[in-house]
């Protein structure tokens, strides 16, 4: 009898220290590490907003959209945070789909040149080489979009896939490129150091667009849809927190992307209002995105919606 009593006490002790349900581990990969728009992931992790929904998020970053899609294909990521143009990879066989819109028009992107460059305006970019992260990335598309809007069918901007900020800075110093298309806040930070200078944001050249989306592996969508929903709820909670807590957001995000708080505050003011609050795929923005696939020669034919994304996790317009 005493043995049974001791066994019962041991069982109760184990229950007292064991959580009711273990957190779901989720590997989330950003397309790049240096973009302010991707920092809500870090804010949500630090403030426990993903944990609140039963998730243990393992965060990392790739070196552009193409590398992100490789990670999804190789099962090195469950969720990817990448560009809208990255949805073209779904039509090429990447076993994933976009599950929600993260960010609308590209207010977060800009064209930057060396601080002492003779390039002063967009018109001065004609015939110049601009670096971008990878072929098929948002940054690659923006360069082509400037060519279109300016009517530069020939002799316009030449895009050079160069990768992230370290190789771009090196290429700029050695005059391999005349400028770079990247995160606006990176340009602001380098302006403060008098290394680079922002000459334009991307928004004058883009009216409707989906800048960033969340990708999920198809296996995750099919077998653990509740985990996808939990992640999206955690993200939306994070956006709500950021909107209500600018000072804390600036404190966290400035450290994540290694910029002065003044730069993070400027990024916050300009970009916080462009985050989607429901993840909806707007039909006009989707149409603009599909047109970009053809413009960049990523695809020869316009893909069907269900090839690129699923609406099972978001409201439908």
């Amino acid at each position: 009898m005493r043995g049974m009593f001791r066994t019962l006490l041991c069982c109760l002790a184990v229950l007292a220290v064991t959580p009711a349900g273990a957190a779901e581990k989720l590997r989330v990969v950003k397309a790049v590490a240096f973009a302010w728009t991707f920092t809500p992931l870090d804010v949500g992790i630090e403030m426990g907003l993903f944990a609140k929904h039963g998730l243990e998020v393992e965060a990392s970053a790739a070196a552009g959209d193409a590398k992100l899609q490789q990670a999804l294909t190789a099962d090195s990521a469950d969720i990817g945070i990448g560009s809208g143009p990255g949805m073209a990879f779904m039509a090429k066989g990447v076993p994933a789909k976009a599950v929600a819109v993260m960010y609308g028009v590209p207010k977060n992107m800009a064209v930057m040149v060396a601080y002492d460059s003779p390039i002063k305006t967009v018109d001065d970019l004609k015939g110049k080489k601009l670096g971008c992260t990878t072929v098929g990335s948002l940054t690659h598309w923006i360069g082509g979009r400037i060519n279109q809007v300016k009517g530069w069918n020939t002799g316009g901007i030449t895009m050079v896939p160069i990768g992230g900020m370290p190789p771009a800075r090196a290429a700029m110093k050695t005059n391999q490129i005349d400028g770079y298309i990247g995160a606006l806040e990176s340009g602001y930070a380098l302006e403060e150091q008098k290394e680079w200078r922002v000459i334009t944001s991307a928004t004058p050249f883009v009216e409707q667009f989906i800048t960033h989306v969340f990708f999920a592996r198809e296996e995750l969508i099919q077998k653990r849809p509740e985990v996808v929903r939990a992640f999206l709820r955690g993200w939306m909670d994070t956006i709500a927190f950021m909107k209500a807590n600018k000072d804390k957001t600036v404190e966290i995000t400035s450290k994540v992307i290694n910029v002065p708080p003044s730069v993070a505050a400027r990024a916050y003011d300009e970009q916080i209002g462009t985050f989607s609050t429901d993840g909806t795929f707007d039909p006009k923005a989707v149409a603009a995105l599909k047109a970009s696939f053809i413009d960049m020669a990523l695809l020869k034919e316009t893909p069907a919606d269900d090839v690129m994304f699923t609406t099972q996790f978001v409201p439908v317009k």
Side-chain angles (χ1 to χ4, degrees):
M1 190 72 177
R2 285 183 179 179
M4 292 179 61
F5 183 67
R6 288 198 189 99
T7 301
L8 178 60
L9 286 177
C10 289
C11 290
L12 290 173
V14 169
L15 289 172
V17 298
T18 302
E24 287 272 6
K25 292 185 178 181
L26 195 65
R27 301 164 300 167
V28 182
V29 180
K30 308 174 188 178
V32 293
F34 54 83
W36 189 85
T37 43
F38 294 159
T39 60
L41 182 65
D42 305 274
V43 174
I45 292 171
E46 183 163 334
M47 301 309 301
L49 299 173
F50 292 108
K52 185 181 76 172
H53 293 282
L55 298 178
E56 180 185 333
V57 174
E58 178 186 300
S60 60
D65 267 323
K67 296 294 185 181
L68 171 62
Q69 301 302 330
Q70 288 176 10
L72 288 165
T73 301
D75 194 15
S76 298
D78 300 308
I79 297 282
I81 309 177
S83 77
M87 282 197 273
F89 289 97
M90 311 299 100
K92 294 183 176 183
V94 172
K97 280 187 171 61
V99 293
V101 169
M102 188 265 268
Y103 197 88
V105 293
K107 288 186 178 181
N108 59 319
M109 306 305 295
V111 179
M112 298 156 270
V113 297
Y115 195 81
D116 59 356
S117 170
I119 299 171
K120 304 296 182 185
T121 68
V122 173
D123 288 339
D124 296 333
L125 293 172
K126 188 174 182 179
K128 300 298 189 293
K129 295 179 180 179
L130 291 186
C132 62
T133 52
T134 58
V135 173
S137 65
L138 173 64
T139 53
H140 185 266
W141 178 78
I142 288 171
R145 182 64 183 164
I146 295 173
N147 278 338
Q148 282 187 336
V149 173
K150 300 299 291 184
W152 297 338
N153 296 322
T154 58
I157 295 169
T158 299
M159 297 306 299
V160 181
I162 201 76
M165 289 301 293
R169 292 174 74 177
M172 193 90 83
K173 288 178 180 177
T174 55
N175 298 315
Q176 295 178 59
I177 55 176
D178 301 295
Y180 184 71
I181 299 177
L184 181 61
E185 59 276 6
S186 296
Y188 288 157
L190 292 174
E191 270 189 352
E192 290 197 357
Q193 299 173 32
K194 295 187 176 182
E195 181 179 341
W196 285 9
R197 177 167 40 83
V198 174
I199 63 168
T200 183
S201 70
T203 46
F205 307 96
V206 186
E207 295 178 0
Q208 296 276 352
F209 206 64
I210 298 174
T211 300
H212 294 302
V213 298
F214 301 104
F215 296 101
R217 280 180 52 81
E218 290 182 339
E219 184 177 8
L220 183 69
I221 294 171
Q222 294 166 7
K223 295 183 178 180
R224 295 194 293 162
E226 70 284 354
V227 175
V228 178
R229 292 190 178 91
F231 174 79
L232 294 176
R233 285 195 294 267
W235 180 276
M236 297 308 173
D237 285 352
T238 300
I239 298 302
F241 171 85
M242 292 171 68
K243 288 183 176 181
N245 298 273
K246 177 181 176 179
D247 290 347
K248 187 63 177 177
T249 297
V250 168
E251 176 191 330
I252 296 172
T253 60
S254 64
K255 294 176 182 176
V256 170
I257 59 173
N258 193 28
V259 298
S262 59
V263 172
R266 195 173 176 183
Y268 178 99
D269 290 338
E270 294 186 8
Q271 300 179 39
I272 192 66
T274 313
F275 286 106
S276 174
T277 56
D278 61 8
T280 299
F281 292 90
D282 180 83
K284 291 182 179 179
V286 170
L289 191 62
K290 288 182 177 181
S292 78
F293 298 159
I294 308 302
D295 293 340
M296 289 190 292
L298 291 175
L299 299 174
K300 293 181 179 180
E301 298 180 355
T302 302
D305 288 356
D306 61 2
V307 171
M308 301 187 302
F309 62 89
T310 175
T311 58
Q312 72 185 83
F313 303 104
V314 297
V316 179
K317 283 192 176 182

